[in-house]
Amino acid sequence: VDIVHVSDVHFGRQDQQAVRALDRHLADNPPDLIAISGDLTQTGRRREFFEAEAWVNQLPAPVAMVPGNHDTPALNLVARLLGPFRRYRTAFGVHSASRVYANGLVALAHLNTAHGFQRRLDWSLGKVRRKEVAVAQAFFRDNRDATWKIVMCHHPLVDKGDTHVRGKTDGGRDALAALASSGVDLVLSGHTHVPGVSSYGEAGGAVTLVSAGTLSERTREDRASFNRIVIQPGNATIVQLAVIDGAVQEVKRDLVTGRATAPSA
Ligand SMILES: [Fe+2]
């Protein structure tokens, strides 16, 4: 299974040249799945959702998507409180179901870490609901024979030491431990706008955490980027691709193996 992992396009502030370069890359090498880990829009405005929806609808592969903290109306407090993801669901609800791909090679569960509001003052931070983790664990129990178990969420479940941008995801560490016990191999996320691959847990049996960069103008390094993840039964190659002078170029690649652990939860 060939997955293109894209995040934080932020329609309204998207990098037009980068999005065009991605579209050409997708047309030339269509993947089996396009996984989008949230922040489709900049401020959750209707016209940003229309633009994002039009882009998603022309993508040349099935799409899997979770919302990000920018996908709730930023300027309309009433909408934000009463139905924070109503616009998102109208535009993208069809892409939100956890699914099994390629006859069980990949089981991909969706986890929403973004919220319209929360008890903390900074509503942009991530938060995991235990109930949603339980739903993901049940999905992996039902699909225990899937070779690769993957979770996609917007905020990184745990922060890496080397970025100053943090998800500070409430409940993230517990969620990651629970998902690891369910045999999860990969967690895909975005939010930080900084791409990277890291691992959680013991060497050999570690969960691989994959972060995608951004295709917006809000790059925190100097360029837009996305990932291409090639999943084979025994291993996965995670290729980081950047848009440099309008062309897609490989920056680095990581080879990881699956954990092949049976779900214990
Ligand atoms: Fe975000």
Side-chain angles (χ1 to χ4, degrees):
V1 179
D2 198 342
I3 303 172
V4 165
H5 172 208
V6 176
S7 205
D8 298 72
V9 188
H10 288 293
F11 276 92
R13 285 288 305 277
Q14 78 273 30
D15 178 338
Q16 302 275 14
Q17 187 191 45
V19 174
R20 275 198 300 272
L22 168 65
D23 285 341
R24 274 196 307 274
H25 175 83
L26 292 170
D28 293 345
N29 328 268
D32 301 300
L33 176 67
I34 300 170
I36 307 177
S37 49
D39 280 0
L40 270 293
T41 73
Q42 176 61 19
T43 53
R45 281 193 174 94
R46 280 200 181 82
R47 62 180 161 80
E48 292 173 353
F49 276 113
F50 290 146
E51 206 178 344
E53 188 180 2
W55 177 71
V56 167
N57 286 343
Q58 56 82 49
L59 291 172
V63 171
M65 202 193 296
V66 292
N69 51 293
H70 281 261
D71 295 324
T72 181
L75 307 170
N76 183 336
L77 198 63
V78 174
R80 184 164 187 140
L81 292 174
L82 295 182
F85 294 106
R86 199 173 286 159
R87 291 175 187 176
Y88 176 89
R89 274 200 304 275
T90 302
F92 304 122
V94 66
H95 305 298
S96 67
S98 300
R99 273 196 194 100
V100 173
Y101 298 88
N103 295 318
L105 179 59
V106 167
L108 175 66
H110 298 219
L111 188 66
N112 179 15
T113 54
H115 298 271
F117 56 95
Q118 52 185 305
R119 253 172 296 178
R120 291 190 288 179
L121 273 177
D122 186 346
W123 294 349
S124 73
L125 301 175
K127 176 182 159 152
V128 184
R129 287 196 183 90
R130 271 199 214 151
K131 206 170 95 187
E132 289 192 35
V133 176
V135 169
Q137 289 188 292
F139 170 76
F140 290 123
R141 249 190 330 268
D142 292 344
N143 297 287
R144 68 182 72 231
D145 294 331
T147 312
W148 284 82
K149 298 181 179 66
I150 305 179
V151 171
M152 179 162 65
C153 51
H154 177 64
H155 299 81
L157 292 177
V158 294
D159 288 314
K160 283 197 309 168
D162 59 349
T163 65
H164 64 281
V165 187
R166 297 178 169 266
K168 291 186 185 159
T169 303
D170 192 5
R173 193 162 285 276
D174 289 347
L176 189 50
L179 294 166
S181 78
S182 292
V184 167
D185 301 286
L186 293 180
V187 179
L188 311 184
S189 64
H191 184 67
T192 62
H193 295 196
V194 178
V197 175
S198 59
S199 62
Y200 163 86
E202 69 279 21
V207 181
T208 301
L209 310 176
V210 181
S211 177
T214 181
L215 290 157
S216 73
E217 293 168 340
R218 308 169 75 226
T219 50
R220 298 209 167 95
E221 289 179 335
D222 52 349
R223 57 206 177 193
S225 64
F226 57 96
N227 299 323
R228 192 149 185 135
I229 306 173
V230 182
I231 308 251
Q232 288 170 323
N235 60 54
T237 308
I238 301 151
V239 185
Q240 187 190 121
L241 298 159
V243 181
I244 299 168
D245 297 329
V248 173
Q249 294 181 27
E250 181 174 330
V251 175
K252 86 190 240 287
R253 59 174 59 205
D254 291 275
L255 183 71
V256 300
T257 50
R259 295 171 66 229
T261 45
S264 61

